[in-house]
Amino acid sequence: DQQVKQNSPSLSVQEGRISILNCDYTNSMFDYFLWYKKYPAEGPTFLISISSIKDKNEDGRFTVFLNKSAKHLSLHIVPSQPGDSAVYFCAASHSGNTPLVFGKGTRLSVIA
Amino acid sequence: EAQVTQNPRYLITVTGKKLTVTCSQNMNHEYMSWYRQDPGLGLRQIYYSMNVEVTDKGDVPEGYKVSRKEKRNFPLILESPSPNQTSLYFCASSLWTGASGYTFGSGTRLTVV
């Protein structure tokens, strides 16, 4: 049973517009959430995170929103740039001794 | 430079021929893990280790072995590789399991024919 779901395998956005990537989770014990970005031929790299005590975390062009009641988080990228084209993975953890659980990823294409 | 190093980057092998993919980190991380990435399936955890001599199965451990004799190294062993183990493999490490985030290696693309 998938505990972290990214239901959109791909997303295309025009350069300069907002990209919104969505992630849903089923395990109510998760209390820490992360987004990773992956370019072809490279390993995933950490992008931004949020703990369950917050509902928003911002880092430059990237903002993650957490809606605990809906078990939903989203990553907003504003403005989108061609270099943002990559696969984005959502991940979740129950803080302490549980490994990260990853979603299947969403491929973002930013079109110039 | 803080990094996770995997070797080899690319490997083509034949069914049944034992192989080892090495993983080494220079950040003194306690936690290390192996993932495989397959189209449409995302990142699936194979094995993980919370510290030296402590390993545990992830979601897809069948056909794989690991060892953690030293803190910095976490090799992935395929005793008898099969074509369904053709995949892209990533090693990752972190200070602890969850909140600190993982540092990933660059990946090993394995093809078993």
Side-chain angles (χ1 to χ4, degrees), chain A residues 32 34 36 38 41-46 49 87 89 93-105, chain B residues 9-10 31 35 37 40-43 45 48 50 88 90 96-107:
Chain A
Y32 202 79
L34 306 90
Y36 282 80
K38 185 184 177 303
E42 295 182 13
T45 55
F46 170 73
S49 63
V87 176
F89 289 100
S93 169
H94 173 212
S95 61
N97 296 317
T98 62
L100 286 179
V101 178
F102 286 86
K104 292 184 177 181
Chain B
R9 288 293 307 272
Y10 301 92
Y31 181 81
Y35 287 85
Q37 183 188 7
L41 297 176
L43 289 165
Q45 191 176 49
Y48 64 96
M50 301 240 222
L88 180 58
F90 290 101
W96 54 290
T97 51
S100 62
Y102 295 176
T103 300
F104 281 86
S106 298

Side-chain angles (χ1 to χ4, degrees), chain B residues 70-82:
Chain B
E70 312 163 272
K71 200 172 190 179
R72 62 183 292 126
N73 295 323
F74 190 46
L76 180 69
I77 303 153
L78 284 73
E79 295 269 3
S80 182
S82 61

Side-chain angles (χ1 to χ4, degrees), chain B residues 87-101:
Chain B
S87 187
L88 180 58
Y89 292 86
F90 290 101
C91 181
S93 74
S94 73
L95 275 172
W96 54 290
T97 51
S100 62

Side-chain angles (χ1 to χ4, degrees), chain A residues 47-95:
Chain A
L47 188 59
I48 192 169
S49 63
I50 188 168
S51 82
S52 59
I53 62 173
K54 293 185 171 184
D55 53 20
K56 175 183 173 181
N57 188 26
E58 195 170 347
D59 183 2
R61 296 185 297 115
F62 303 91
T63 303
V64 56
F65 295 92
L66 175 62
N67 182 335
K68 289 186 290 292
S69 60
K71 294 194 179 70
H72 176 84
L73 61 153
S74 60
L75 174 68
H76 292 212
I77 306 173
V78 183
S80 302
Q81 299 173 353
D84 296 330
S85 297
V87 176
Y88 289 79
F89 289 100
C90 172
S93 169
H94 173 212
S95 61

